[in-house]
Amino acid sequence: MSKFFTARLAALTPYTPGEQPRDRKYIKLNTNESPFPPSPKAQKAAAEAAGSLQLYPDPTYLALHTAIADYHDLSTDEVLVTNGSDEILNFAFMAFCDENSPAVFPDITYGFYSVFATLNRVPYTEIPLRADFSLDKSAMMAQKGTLFIANPNAPTGLALSAAEIEEIVAANRDRVVVVDEAYVDFGGESVVPLVRKYDNLLVTRTFSKSRSMAGARLGYGVGSPSLIADLNTVKYSTNPYNVNSMSAAAGLGVMADEDYTQQNCATIIKNRESTQMALRDLGFEVTDSRGNFMFVRHPRLAGKAIYSALRARGILVRHFSKAPIADYNRITVGTAEEMAALVAALADIIKE
Ligand code: PMP
């Protein structure tokens, strides 16, 4: 750290992304990426866009906004594309949170929320999940401030129904509720259809998971025109060209290939269910995950020990050391072959 770093930022603990080791080839099940390549249509569109990189992108991203708006049956003024959904989440902290509207989110959820809060000088309250990892809705609502709910939640995989989310949004019309639907395509219920009904609802989405484009860094938010206008003020005050031309083109390409996305999601869901069954047969406890990942523990073995034993066998998973979940590992759902290797490795590990 330099002596010039501000005291406030010197105290910031940044988000720790999943490791990307290069010491050997791993079966990578630690960052919830898709095991499938991007749609051929996305790849072709990105390659074509490379020929025009001398130009800035259209800062209104009209073509991509139109495709996303059509997909959700919304208008372009209800959509904002961003550099990954991380960026729309950061914009939401900047736009809708301050000392009068502190951020409220569960204590076990996407680790970036607390980092964005600190970065933006936003006070925040973490609401403990119940022992079964379900969300304590009334405790969330009892706090004043802007609510952030990952649905399905990460890393637990548990999801609330759309009706439960609606109850929260409807009971809190005087504050923004941000619903992070990064994993919704793997079996969650979306509340995007509610954005016309509730002007306090912002839903964030990503192309990183179900659309196999984590490397493109493309996400978006949908909400009422006035919420989107506020987020645009933040965007035009930070980076008007926040999505690069190749990623915007790739996004258009994959939106035109919905069958490809749906097929991949169906495969991931099938692989998740069969792997979870195999793990339960081995004595593992598994949550009812609606994401492209599983949240798994063994009654006899520590989470960290399982993580290390898998790593030694060339399989990378994500372990969080936070107390209530330290016995768990979050394991991304991969191809059938990767899942077979995972189950074989875990069977071997519990025998030792
Ligand atoms: N929300 C949740 C719950 C996530 O797990 C992630 C990715 N790890 C994101 C948002 C951000 O994803 P991206 O920036 O790739 O869209």
Side-chain angles (χ1 to χ4, degrees):
M1 187 189 308
S2 82
K3 64 182 179 187
F4 306 109
F5 206 26
T6 63
R8 189 174 66 81
L9 290 187
L12 178 69
T13 308
Y15 177 71
T16 316
E19 57 189 326
Q20 309 278 8
R22 312 212 190 284
D23 57 331
R24 62 179 276 194
K25 197 158 168 30
Y26 287 93
I27 296 179
K28 231 182 133 290
L29 306 175
N30 68 329
T31 44
N32 294 349
E33 290 148 327
S34 172
F36 307 116
S39 150
K41 290 189 183 169
Q43 296 189 42
K44 187 162 170 280
E48 281 168 13
S52 305
L53 282 179
Q54 77 278 19
L55 303 174
Y56 285 110
D58 162 20
T60 71
Y61 298 99
L62 184 60
L64 185 54
H65 280 146
T66 303
I68 295 170
D70 288 351
Y71 177 74
H72 288 301
D73 233 344
L74 295 170
S75 318
T76 51
D77 61 356
E78 294 167 302
V79 183
L80 179 62
V81 293
T82 52
N83 198 306
S85 57
D86 281 338
E87 187 176 55
I88 192 93
L89 290 165
N90 190 24
F91 285 179
F93 276 90
M94 291 192 223
F96 307 123
C97 303
D98 63 11
E99 54 288 348
N100 299 315
S101 294
V104 182
F105 41 83
D107 64 338
I108 297 165
T109 189
Y110 185 34
F112 227 139
Y113 300 160
S114 56
V115 178
F116 285 140
T118 310
L119 179 68
N120 292 302
R121 305 175 198 230
V122 169
Y124 62 91
T125 309
E126 295 179 296
I127 307 296
L129 289 183
R130 297 200 190 91
D132 64 358
F133 298 138
S134 61
L135 188 93
D136 190 341
K137 275 186 292 175
S138 46
M140 287 280 290
M141 294 197 280
Q143 293 290 327
K144 177 174 159 313
T146 303
L147 303 181
F148 289 81
I149 302 173
N151 195 46
N153 196 11
T156 65
L158 298 189
L160 293 177
S161 67
E164 287 174 293
I165 298 277
E166 179 166 10
E167 206 187 303
I168 298 172
V169 178
N172 294 277
R173 298 303 299 267
D174 56 348
R175 55 174 162 172
V176 175
V177 180
V178 180
V179 181
D180 174 351
E181 293 192 347
Y183 298 107
V184 78
D185 292 329
F186 304 102
E189 263 181 29
S190 177
V191 289
V192 168
L194 298 179
V195 298
R196 285 251 164 104
K197 195 165 166 191
Y198 299 100
D199 64 0
N200 59 321
L201 172 63
L202 178 72
V203 184
T204 65
R205 291 278 193 110
T206 182
F207 283 67
S208 297
K209 316 293 177 185
S210 56
R211 294 191 164 75
S212 297
M213 282 177 35
R217 312 304 305 121
L218 188 61
Y220 61 95
V222 298
S224 67
S226 55
L227 287 186
I228 295 298
D230 297 342
L231 293 162
N232 262 307
T233 299
V234 174
K235 164 187 136 143
Y236 281 98
S237 308
T238 49
N239 185 4
Y241 308 108
N242 57 337
V243 173
N244 74 75
S245 312
M246 290 174 71
S247 294
L252 263 180
V254 71
M255 292 304 287
D257 202 359
E258 186 59 16
D259 285 353
Y260 182 82
T261 298
Q262 290 310 323
Q263 264 173 34
N264 286 343
C265 289
T267 306
I268 294 294
I269 292 169
K270 182 166 137 263
N271 293 354
R272 180 186 70 208
E273 296 307 309
S274 57
T275 308
Q276 292 197 152
M277 210 162 6
L279 295 182
R280 284 196 183 104
D281 286 348
L282 288 175
F284 285 88
E285 290 167 23
V286 176
T287 63
D288 177 22
S289 173
R290 304 299 167 95
N292 65 341
F293 56 88
M294 303 168 289
F295 199 51
V296 176
R297 81 167 164 188
H298 193 274
R300 269 192 304 106
L301 295 175
K304 187 72 197 246
I306 293 176
Y307 160 85
S308 302
L310 282 172
R311 199 177 201 284
R313 287 166 176 77
I315 300 178
L316 266 190
V317 300
R318 188 94 198 245
H319 180 257
F320 301 91
S321 47
K322 205 167 178 170
I325 57 170
D327 274 340
Y328 283 80
N329 282 289
R330 191 196 68 191
I331 308 177
T332 305
V333 178
T335 61
E337 295 72 36
E338 289 171 331
M339 294 299 93
L342 169 78
V343 172
L346 286 172
D348 191 37
I349 289 164
I350 57 174
K351 259 194 278 156
E352 281 176 1

